[in-house]
Amino acid sequence: VVVVGGGIAGLATAYQLSRIGTGLSVVLLEGDHMLGGKIQSSRIAGGHAIDVGPDAFLSSAPVVQRLCDELYLSESLVTPVNGATGILVDNTVRPIPPGLISGVPVSLTSLARMGMLSWTGSARACCDLLLPRRRYAQEPTVAEIVASRLGEEVLTRLVDPLVGGVYAGDTRYLSARYTTPQVFNAVRDKRSLLLGLRAQPRTSARAGLRTFQDGGLRRLVDALSMAIRKTVRVETRSRARVLGRADQRWEVGTDTDMWSAQHVVLALATHEAAQLLHPCEHRLAETLSQTQYASVITVTLAFAQGKVTEQKIPGFIVPRSEGHLITALTCISDRWMQHKLDNMLLIRCSVGRHGEDRASSFDDDELIRRVSDEVRTILQITAVCTDAVVKRWPQALPQYGKKHGEVLSRIREAEQARLYFAGAAYGGVGVSSCIEQGIAVAERIHKKYQLSSFPSAGGTA
């Protein structure tokens, strides 16, 4: 097996293959000088370690918890000191209403009480209970469903920042089926969106965020790297340049080597996978190349502890309608115990989303100035920024548009030829989703290996 891509999905695939794949020879190829992909760290405020890519994962995934147990990392897991999150509405941070399903409020009463909507917006949302059933296209967007049932205000002030924030996307582009399946199923099964959501089964476990006490998410990457090196051949600075078929096997070429394999896993972004596939799988490559991406930037600021207005919500999302450069803000020194520093306020901001790339024209100094000015204005911080770290992630987050179903269909077909895909572009953008995909791919490969290695009951190999 050759795994192409050493991000968290590729690492999880290689780890699971090394753990269950007796008889399998596994090679992991990574073009960068280190493993981990977007899970990277940097230093701020005199050497304090911070994540500059993903900084936490959802605790609701049992596969990830088992992985932490196997790697002896569970005792290092920490949860937020304050996990509250808000939304910036009219330059005021308001708490996210309780009882949301895929960003959609089930209780309009609690939404109205929190001042999230105007009285006309609240009245329009209530119309969902009276409006007749609406027929949608086969692949409606999130915005098409929410705006038609609950109105534009619910969409722009609540659903778009919450759902769009996950993908750094625009709900007018994102597919409801693949980004908010509960919303998609609700209007398919019921006349009303609200009634349809209320009728769906509720999960008892509440998903929360977790990371590691020392080292952040790099701790997980380092543990996986150490674990797989015992049985997996790991080649960094080895970018895959060529992919082809020869005698029922795959050939993967780097600048210096050619690897022959029965199974290949592409743990890559769609545009990178498409580039490799064009010579040998043109149809698949064309489908993959249609996926659009959002470029994002993380800007972490250190403020000497100054006066801050009473702020009970350490993080918030910024809707497009607010007009700010930043799309989300987290006061990580208030949210996470390991980031509490004496006389120092650490604030992490996200910048950029699908269809909005103005930040790319600013150099780091200008970007820091603009972001810190917005932070000081919103939080009313009097202190100056003493240090900052900027990390740019071009084409970072895939957008699950209306043609995402075609992508999934094509990659399922590719598995018949022992070509597999894992990563944010395929089955979920979060760290937990990428780990789950990698482990699932490894188990499917192992199952195929077993079936092809031993005679079946019918006598065929």
Side-chain angles (χ1 to χ4, degrees):
V1 185
V2 171
V3 180
V4 183
I8 192 63
L11 278 170
T13 306
Y15 169 80
Q16 191 69 1
L17 286 171
S18 70
R19 185 171 171 270
I20 66 175
T22 304
L24 289 172
S25 175
V26 183
V27 176
L28 175 63
L29 303 178
E30 167 56 45
D32 202 354
H33 68 284
M34 64 179 183
L35 301 174
K38 295 180 181 65
I39 298 180
Q40 294 184 20
S41 62
S42 187
R43 300 279 175 177
I44 197 171
H48 183 72
I50 55 167
D51 289 291
V52 292
D55 63 346
F57 63 89
L58 286 174
S59 61
S60 57
V63 169
V64 183
Q65 182 60 56
R66 287 198 300 271
L67 178 63
C68 292
D69 291 341
E70 292 166 8
L71 296 171
Y72 303 102
L73 293 175
S74 296
E75 291 185 359
S76 299
L77 286 171
V78 291
T79 56
V81 176
N82 186 344
T85 301
I87 297 180
L88 193 69
V89 178
D90 297 330
N91 232 32
T92 300
V93 181
R94 302 183 186 275
I96 292 177
L100 298 182
I101 297 179
S102 297
V104 177
V106 176
S107 171
L108 295 178
T109 303
S110 63
L111 185 64
R113 286 175 180 169
M114 290 183 174
M116 193 75 71
L117 303 178
S118 66
W119 71 267
T120 53
S122 297
R124 173 61 185 86
C126 291
C127 292
D128 170 71
L129 299 170
L130 305 173
L131 291 170
R133 180 190 291 269
R134 175 169 175 170
R135 300 293 178 184
Y136 296 96
Q138 185 176 1
E139 293 294 344
T141 65
V142 177
E144 285 171 347
I145 294 176
V146 174
S148 66
R149 299 305 313 181
L150 300 175
E152 282 288 333
E153 207 165 295
V154 171
L155 175 69
T156 57
R157 291 194 173 190
L158 189 64
V159 179
D160 188 69
L162 286 175
V163 176
V166 174
Y167 298 88
D170 185 345
T171 51
R172 299 182 192 280
Y173 177 84
L174 295 173
S175 162
R177 184 193 297 266
Y178 297 107
T179 60
T180 57
Q182 289 176 297
V183 170
F184 177 81
N185 292 331
V187 293
R188 185 186 60 180
D189 299 337
K190 299 285 184 179
R191 173 185 59 81
S192 156
L193 173 58
L194 293 175
L195 295 178
L197 289 173
R198 291 170 187 171
Q200 294 188 22
R202 306 291 181 90
T203 56
S204 56
R206 183 180 176 184
L209 294 175
R210 289 188 179 184
T211 188
F212 299 95
Q213 175 70 37
D214 299 314
L217 290 186
R218 280 301 305 184
R219 184 87 181 271
L220 178 59
V221 169
D222 293 342
L224 282 169
S225 301
M226 288 182 62
I228 67 173
R229 287 179 189 275
K230 299 173 183 176
T231 54
V232 174
R233 179 163 181 172
V234 177
E235 298 284 340
T236 55
R237 292 189 174 90
S238 294
R239 189 173 303 279
R241 305 289 187 186
V242 178
L243 178 66
R245 298 295 298 271
D247 299 328
Q248 302 302 311
R249 293 176 67 87
W250 289 99
E251 301 284 340
V252 183
T254 67
D255 290 330
T256 57
D257 298 293
M258 183 68 73
W259 303 91
S260 177
Q262 287 180 306
H263 307 264
V264 169
V265 181
L266 296 183
L268 301 170
T270 52
H271 51 276
E272 295 171 325
Q275 189 173 2
L276 276 176
L277 288 165
H278 261 295
C280 60
E281 298 286 343
H282 183 73
R283 184 183 175 197
L284 175 58
E286 286 296 316
T287 300
L288 294 178
S289 63
Q290 295 174 6
T291 302
Q292 296 185 29
Y293 280 76
S295 297
V296 296
I297 307 171
T298 61
V299 182
T300 306
L301 308 171
F303 289 91
Q305 191 71 45
K307 182 181 178 182
V308 183
T309 56
E310 184 66 22
Q311 183 62 259
K312 296 181 179 179
I313 303 176
F316 56 85
I317 301 165
V318 183
R320 291 173 186 264
S321 56
E322 291 293 309
H324 287 292
L325 186 65
I326 62 174
T327 59
L329 179 150
T330 304
C331 184
I332 59 176
S333 52
D334 285 349
R335 173 155 287 178
W336 300 99
M337 181 65 72
Q338 67 271 25
H339 290 310
K340 284 188 177 295
L341 301 178
D342 293 337
N343 301 316
M344 190 66 65
L345 194 65
L346 296 182
I347 294 177
R348 169 185 162 118
C349 298
S350 297
V351 177
R353 53 185 144 207
H354 188 228
E356 184 182 307
D357 199 26
R358 51 181 166 149
S360 63
S361 62
F362 305 139
D363 62 22
D364 286 359
D365 290 340
E366 177 67 10
L367 186 61
I368 291 168
R369 185 187 67 79
R370 289 174 179 262
V371 170
S372 61
D373 284 349
E374 288 192 357
V375 170
R376 279 198 296 267
T377 299
I378 296 169
L379 298 183
Q380 298 181 34
I381 297 174
T382 58
V384 296
C385 176
T386 58
D387 197 8
V389 173
V390 175
K391 183 61 180 180
R392 298 174 185 266
W393 298 106
Q395 290 189 287
L397 286 170
Q399 305 298 297
Y400 294 177
K402 292 186 174 184
K403 294 188 177 181
H404 188 64
E406 185 180 349
V407 171
L408 298 182
S409 177
R410 292 280 185 265
I411 65 174
R412 282 193 295 268
E413 292 173 3
E415 289 200 5
Q416 302 303 313
R418 296 190 175 94
L419 179 65
Y420 309 81
F421 296 81
Y426 310 103
V429 299
V431 171
S432 297
S433 295
C434 290
I435 291 172
E436 289 178 310
Q437 290 176 65
I439 290 175
V441 162
E443 290 173 347
R444 293 200 297 275
I445 290 173
H446 187 237
K447 184 177 180 180
K448 277 195 175 185
Y449 167 74
Q450 288 179 312
L451 291 174
S452 63
S453 299
F454 301 98
S456 67
T460 58

